[in-house]
Amino acid sequence: MTNPVLAEGLGPFALPDFAAITDADFGPAFETALTEARAKIAAIAENPQPPSFANTIEALEMAEALLDRVAGIFYNLSGADSTPAREALMRDLAPKMAGFASEVTMNRPLFARIETLWAARGDLDLSPEQARVLELYHKMFVRSGAALAGADAARMTEIKERLAVLSTAFSQNLLADERDWFRPLTEDELEGLPEFVVAAAKAAGAERGQAGPVLTLNRSLIVPFLQFSPRRDLRETAYEAWVARGANGGATDNRLIAAEILNLREERAKLLGYDSFAAYKLDPEMAKTPETVRDLLMRVWTPAKAAAEADAAKLTAMMHDDGLNGDLEAWDWRYYSEKRRVAEHDFDEAALKPYLSLNAMLAAMFDTANRLFGLDFRPIEGPFYHPDVRGWEVSRKGRHIAVFLGDYFARPSKRSGAWCSAMRSQKKLGGETRPIVVNVCNFAKGDPCLLSYDDARTLFHEFGHALHQMLSDVTYQFVSGTSVARDFVELPSQLYEHWLEVPEVLERHARHWQTGEAMPKALRDKLLAAATYDQGFLTVEFVASALVDLAFHEGAAPADPMALQAQVLAEIGMPKAIRMRHATPHFGHVFSGDGYSAGYYSYMWSEVMDADAFAAFEETGDAFDPATAERLERCILSVGGSVPADAAWLAFRGKTPGVEALLKGRGLLEA
């Protein structure tokens, strides 16, 4: 019987046969795919013919097609719907996959062929995309250690395998802490909570087999609890549990893992001739150097801290008016900030949520994509990997563009946060391949699911990434979709958030889930007027995390990362009532893989551009200006990494943006 993981897929879109796939199928599927990939790569390396772009680079592009398919299914499921068997296989696969990657990039005959092509690149008559792909392959091999020999090469392989093991352990420890902690809530402990929070707590209790409502560490539940619960003791308990993830001692503690990861990253960078891991990691990015990153972060930190301290004084006064003496604490901020928002802006989150049902916001998200890019979305039936997953065929003028899957509700088997991934990426080499794109979120389940405005922004954000994948139009998968510089990848996602603020989008789609009535103009105006409310707090917690990430990787690896974290926060004068958005033991962006290590700043780097990019639409007087949308797709969304990020940006906008656009967008210019 054919292993269903290895099969081509079902139906007109070749979706994986999730109903037939069992956890036991994945191990054998990986073994088969790895064996096939090794054989194909060996054939490329040992090819007696002189190297050509076709027999080397294009052959490499095709060599791991089966492995890509298997990994695309498995790793999507492992993040969104984990099981003990999948977690065990992830631990087993981590060193194997890292070892295989090292086999490829440290294959000296293979690297020699790439070197030959690189040296002769001016005479190969390559297309611009082929020239870019060759450049990136050569850079990838060099940065992976292909030029190393002997003991250095062997040590590089050991480091990569160990890092893969550690990052997997970090992720699984974090998931375990998030999954295992919950606190039952009694009737009196629900007092003061809006109905949507109570409903979410009841749904979370049912999800965990409890008789009544529970509080969990899911952000979409714990943040509104901290906003609305008048019980300061419960807010403290909940907040401290939330920020203690990965630092609870025992088998799931991540602090020693983080220290070892940082040591190995430093050693890896030094083997490749870099002064620090940050210097190594930033070399191919738009920012280029740690100094450039630090300059951006500090230019934002100063006004953000001033705004946060001014806000803290007002919140402290409100707390004292309630008869609570002493300092404002981290578990107090959201509660008093919400009360202040109601008082100053006459704006109540609870009044807003009935107009922001998940279905309404999905309609807004799809309608915006239709008006900008002419995309149509048709619901389709599975097979999907979980009952919560929904699917759509994406088309344009009758032409199939992609399959889009949305997995929106929190559950114990899903890691926290929100993300976009491609179960299958777009490419043309070997035949037109259209992508299967997945958005995963962790919204609190309800009937219906009602979103906060922050949740709605997250929905739009992840769909911006999805558009980057779906509108990709390149030949080579290596540069497809979001395969761009790390500090450029957040531009499409953060840019797409802006359309949620367009009044006509809210007017058309923000409708009461029961009555169908549009959001009252007065409420909509209050929402938009309060768009920059509390940005001092939000910016401080982000920039502090980014500065700690940079400090971890900019110099010698710290023996005690927690001590360095404390030192950095003391040096920048972190306000007492605000903590990092991601403390070290649960900083998954940095330690659950290499993606955002020395790169958490990239959200802010991209925000500088997204503010200026949306201004390009505003300057036309039409947020849906067809010519600007066409230029955005042609210059940025369709080209993936086939064009350097700075060139893609300049082709779209024609100028370099300044940090002022970001500060203005966050309401921090005066501060």
Side-chain angles (χ1 to χ4, degrees):
M1 180 182 291
T2 302
N3 187 319
V5 181
L6 299 172
E8 287 291 340
L10 298 176
F13 311 123
L15 289 170
D17 188 1
F18 291 111
I21 292 172
T22 68
D23 286 347
D25 294 321
F26 284 113
F30 271 104
E31 292 300 326
T32 298
L34 283 166
T35 298
E36 177 181 296
R38 284 190 171 99
K40 290 184 175 182
I41 287 163
I44 299 167
E46 297 163 9
N47 189 344
Q49 298 298 317
S52 67
F53 189 85
N55 72 19
T56 302
I57 301 301
E58 290 189 342
L60 276 172
E61 280 281 286
M62 303 292 286
E64 298 177 24
L66 183 61
L67 184 59
D68 287 343
R69 185 193 313 156
V70 174
I73 298 170
F74 177 74
Y75 287 109
N76 272 277
L77 265 62
S78 296
D81 193 26
S82 184
T83 66
R86 290 171 192 168
E87 291 180 16
L89 183 56
M90 278 190 75
R91 293 190 293 271
D92 182 54
L93 282 171
K96 289 182 180 179
M97 295 296 284
F100 169 72
S102 289
E103 285 177 35
V104 176
T105 55
M106 310 288 271
N107 185 317
R108 297 191 71 79
L110 181 60
F111 180 54
R113 296 179 71 85
I114 295 173
E115 281 273 61
T116 299
L117 292 172
W118 179 245
R121 60 191 181 278
D123 302 320
L124 298 180
D125 193 28
L126 302 177
S127 70
E129 183 179 340
Q130 288 174 327
R132 175 68 173 163
V133 168
L134 174 59
E135 175 193 357
L136 292 174
Y137 262 98
H138 182 260
K139 185 176 292 186
M140 178 184 73
F141 271 71
V142 171
R143 287 172 57 79
S144 296
L148 300 177
D152 286 349
R155 179 57 182 156
M156 179 63 79
T157 297
E158 291 173 358
I159 289 172
K160 290 180 187 175
E161 292 183 12
R162 180 61 178 161
L163 282 170
V165 170
L166 292 170
S167 63
T168 299
F170 190 98
S171 287
Q172 293 189 353
N173 289 345
L174 188 51
L175 175 61
D177 277 4
E178 291 166 348
R179 179 178 57 213
D180 294 345
W181 190 94
F182 66 88
R183 187 190 185 285
L185 295 171
T186 62
E187 281 299 317
D188 64 304
E189 291 172 341
L190 298 175
E191 187 178 339
L193 296 178
E195 179 53 38
F196 76 86
V197 181
V198 175
K202 289 179 177 177
E207 185 82 34
R208 283 165 172 73
Q210 300 297 302
V214 303
L215 184 63
T216 71
L217 300 183
N218 167 37
R219 186 179 186 90
S220 288
L221 177 53
I222 201 164
V223 167
F225 182 86
L226 292 170
Q227 281 179 290
F228 293 106
S229 175
R231 287 281 299 272
R232 194 183 193 212
D233 59 331
L234 293 182
R235 296 200 309 268
E236 180 179 3
T237 297
Y239 184 85
E240 291 293 6
W242 191 32
V243 299
R245 292 167 294 155
N248 289 305
T252 62
D253 198 292
N254 276 332
R255 286 171 286 192
L256 291 178
I257 292 176
E260 187 176 354
I261 287 173
L262 294 173
N263 270 299
L264 291 172
R265 285 177 178 166
E266 181 191 8
E267 186 179 356
R268 178 182 179 184
K270 294 287 179 63
L271 282 172
L272 294 171
Y274 289 89
D275 292 336
S276 67
F277 183 81
Y280 159 76
K281 192 68 188 297
L282 292 168
D283 185 39
E285 309 298 345
M286 293 183 76
K288 298 299 180 190
T289 68
E291 293 75 21
T292 304
V293 172
R294 184 174 297 281
D295 177 65
L296 167 69
L297 294 174
M298 292 309 298
R299 288 173 70 189
V300 176
W301 173 260
T302 300
K305 180 186 174 187
E309 288 177 333
D311 289 342
K314 295 178 181 178
L315 300 184
T316 300
M318 293 174 66
M319 188 178 78
H320 291 172
D321 288 344
D322 277 353
L324 295 171
N325 296 320
D327 295 334
L328 184 77
E329 300 289 352
W331 49 88
D332 297 318
W333 190 291
R334 288 176 173 85
Y335 178 71
Y336 283 101
S337 180
E338 181 64 25
K339 292 181 73 171
R340 179 185 166 206
R341 180 165 63 168
V342 171
E344 293 187 3
H345 293 276
D346 192 22
F347 178 76
D348 182 0
E349 179 88 20
L352 177 69
K353 286 177 76 89
Y355 297 94
L356 301 180
S357 70
L358 175 60
N359 285 340
M361 292 301 96
L362 287 172
M365 185 177 86
F366 290 153
D367 184 41
T368 297
N370 176 266
R371 296 177 68 184
L372 288 170
F373 308 114
L375 298 177
D376 295 307
F377 299 83
R378 178 180 66 86
I380 58 174
E381 298 298 320
F384 304 137
Y385 61 85
H386 191 277
D388 286 344
V389 178
R390 301 164 67 176
W392 295 266
E393 181 195 8
V394 187
S395 61
R396 179 157 57 185
K397 296 180 179 177
R399 175 177 175 252
H400 175 70
I401 298 295
V403 170
F404 174 65
L405 304 182
D407 181 359
Y408 295 115
F409 301 130
R411 54 179 174 267
S413 63
K414 184 189 288 187
R415 66 178 171 88
S416 64
W419 63 93
C420 174
S421 59
M423 207 168 281
R424 182 174 69 218
S425 296
Q426 181 272 331
K427 65 182 178 68
K428 296 176 184 174
L429 184 67
E432 179 75 20
T433 299
R434 299 310 306 172
I436 300 173
V437 185
V438 188
N439 272 181
V440 183
C441 297
N442 270 282
F443 302 141
K445 206 169 192 176
D447 185 21
C449 173
L450 301 179
L451 305 183
S452 67
Y453 192 62
D454 185 54
D455 286 337
R457 289 178 71 96
T458 297
L459 187 77
F460 269 62
H461 178 101
E462 297 306 332
F463 193 68
H465 284 308
L467 287 170
H468 204 177
Q469 298 275 19
M470 293 189 288
L471 293 174
S472 178
D473 187 26
V474 297
T475 299
Y476 301 98
Q477 183 174 316
F478 199 65
V479 291
S480 176
T482 56
S483 300
V484 299
R486 176 59 64 181
D487 50 13
F488 195 64
V489 76
E490 297 297 335
L491 169 61
S493 55
Q494 293 179 182
L495 172 59
Y496 203 68
E497 292 179 34
H498 286 271
W499 275 277
L500 185 59
E501 300 172 354
V502 173
E504 64 185 278
V505 172
L506 291 170
E507 184 176 0
R508 180 183 294 195
H509 295 286
R511 294 184 173 271
H512 197 285
W513 72 272
Q514 287 175 306
T515 66
E517 294 180 2
M519 181 187 295
K521 183 178 184 301
L523 180 58
R524 190 172 72 243
D525 290 346
K526 291 173 188 176
L527 169 65
L528 297 176
T532 61
Y533 178 73
D534 218 17
Q535 280 296 327
F537 169 85
L538 294 169
T539 308
V540 160
E541 65 165 8
F542 173 86
V543 175
S545 296
L547 285 168
V548 168
D549 167 41
L550 186 64
F552 279 159
H553 298 99
E554 195 174 8
D560 181 354
M562 300 303 293
L564 180 55
Q565 173 185 298
Q567 178 185 328
V568 171
L569 298 180
E571 288 174 351
I572 61 176
M574 185 73 169
K576 181 179 183 296
I578 307 178
R579 301 195 195 173
M580 293 167 61
R581 182 170 300 178
H582 303 289
T584 299
H586 55 86
F587 207 163
H589 283 79
V590 171
F591 294 108
S592 289
D594 228 11
Y596 285 88
S597 55
Y600 193 61
Y601 77 93
S602 59
Y603 288 93
M604 189 147 283
W605 186 273
S606 293
E607 190 176 340
V608 171
M609 290 182 286
D610 80 61
D612 195 58
F614 192 68
F617 285 88
E618 292 179 314
E619 288 162 9
T620 71
D622 180 4
F624 295 92
D625 178 61
T628 309
E630 185 278 332
R631 193 167 72 250
L632 175 65
E633 180 178 352
R634 173 170 44 85
C635 298
I636 293 177
L637 297 178
S638 69
V639 300
S642 66
V643 175
D646 51 357
W649 168 260
L650 288 173
F652 169 69
R653 194 63 172 118
K655 63 177 184 177
T656 302
V659 73
E660 291 75 18
L662 178 151
L663 294 175
K664 180 181 178 183
R666 288 186 172 233
L668 299 174
L669 214 50
E670 291 183 8

